[in-house]
Amino acid sequence: DAGVIQSPRHEVTEMGQEVTLRCKPISGHDYLFWYRQTMMRGLELLIYFNNNVPIDDSGMPEDRFSAKMPNASFSTLKIQPSEPRDSAVYFCASSPSGRAEFFGPGTRLTVL
Amino acid sequence: AQSVTQPDIHITVSEGASLELRCNYSYGATPYLFWYVQSPGQGLQLLLKYFSGDTLVQGIKGFEAEFKRSQSSFNLRKPSVHWSDAAEYFCAVGALNQAGTALIFGKGTTLSVSS
């Protein structure tokens, strides 16, 4: 299996622009997680899905952030409008067990 | 409050020497414990996990960890470190009986390996 796939790997955008991050989980995994990693706050869970349904989005920082999972093999995390403080590495993870065991390589987002 | 503490921000070990990375947790429920490794520019790779049974668990790359309930610790060890082990290591805890519960991560320990 190719593992969790994320795209793009790097994204540089200007403040106010819309950013869409994409994730393909490992086939057969019914849990998908979005994490954010920053130097100041470490790794934080933003949202997770079970069987394509959002279960807990309490970690989503504000309404500018939204996530969808239209099917079992694809999820997006959207930031609109983006702000410099959103700069971070965003990880997608999937698992069959309900715990984030398999992480993707991450998307490094820089908002200028 | 639920938390994971990795007391050492940065550790340097000579190649071939033994390694122990410390992890202490505070968690209200029965814990499910993990160690991850992150190389620069890469995602997190699961090294090992513990949820029940033998308190000494073996992982990939020659790592092991011991769960000590009385000390609320889950320290990671390796008998002989290789230069390729230089990376950042994260300890994490989740609720054993609650699938989908957010893992709580420590701040990480950066391991440097000297020759």
Side-chain angles (χ1 to χ4, degrees):
Chain A
D1 199 310
V4 176
I5 298 172
Q6 291 186 246
S7 65
R9 293 294 309 276
H10 301 273
E11 177 80 32
V12 180
T13 191
E14 292 187 348
M15 183 174 61
Q17 296 298 306
E18 178 180 294
V19 175
T20 300
L21 312 181
R22 297 173 177 79
C23 175
K24 176 179 169 56
I26 294 172
S27 177
H29 286 187
D30 54 1
Y31 284 89
L32 183 140
F33 304 80
W34 282 100
Y35 280 85
R36 180 171 67 175
Q37 184 180 38
T38 61
M39 290 292 292
M40 291 298 295
R41 300 175 66 89
L43 275 156
E44 304 172 282
L45 177 69
L46 299 177
I47 185 172
Y48 80 89
F49 296 82
N50 178 216
N51 292 322
N52 313 336
V53 176
I55 303 301
D56 183 356
D57 65 354
S58 59
M60 297 286 263
E62 47 198 278
D63 292 344
R64 298 184 296 106
F65 286 70
S66 62
K68 294 182 180 179
M69 193 166 185
N71 57 63
S73 59
F74 184 65
S75 177
T76 59
L77 177 67
K78 185 176 293 186
I79 309 172
Q80 167 62 20
S82 58
E83 297 182 2
R85 59 194 169 116
D86 302 330
S87 298
V89 181
Y90 291 82
F91 288 104
C92 176
S94 72
S95 86
S97 68
R99 291 146 190 111
E101 296 188 15
F102 301 92
F103 279 74
T107 295
R108 181 173 296 276
L109 173 65
T110 302
V111 183
L112 303 175
Chain B
Q2 300 173 348
S3 64
V4 175
T5 302
Q6 294 180 244
D8 304 304
I9 297 174
H10 190 188
I11 284 183
T12 299
V13 175
S14 299
E15 190 169 16
S18 63
L19 170 70
E20 183 169 29
L21 301 182
R22 295 182 291 165
C23 173
N24 293 97
Y25 67 90
S26 174
Y27 203 72
T30 302
Y32 189 178
L33 295 154
F34 301 77
W35 274 100
Y36 291 85
V37 61
Q38 184 180 27
S39 297
Q42 302 297 313
L44 279 73
Q45 181 182 22
L46 181 64
L47 284 176
L48 48 79
K49 59 186 176 184
Y50 170 82
F51 61 94
S52 68
D54 192 345
T55 56
L56 184 64
V57 294
Q58 303 297 320
I60 63 172
K61 304 184 180 186
F63 286 92
E64 65 179 26
E66 186 171 13
F67 173 56
K68 293 185 177 180
R69 185 183 299 275
S70 62
Q71 298 177 19
S72 297
S73 69
F74 189 56
N75 294 348
L76 182 72
R77 301 194 294 247
K78 186 169 184 178
S80 178
V81 168
H82 188 262
W83 65 266
S84 61
D85 293 324
E88 190 160 17
Y89 292 79
F90 293 91
C91 180
V93 63
L96 176 61
N97 297 317
Q98 297 175 30
T101 305
L103 289 182
I104 299 172
F105 283 84
K107 295 295 187 184
T109 297
T110 299
L111 173 66
S112 297
V113 180
S114 61
S115 56

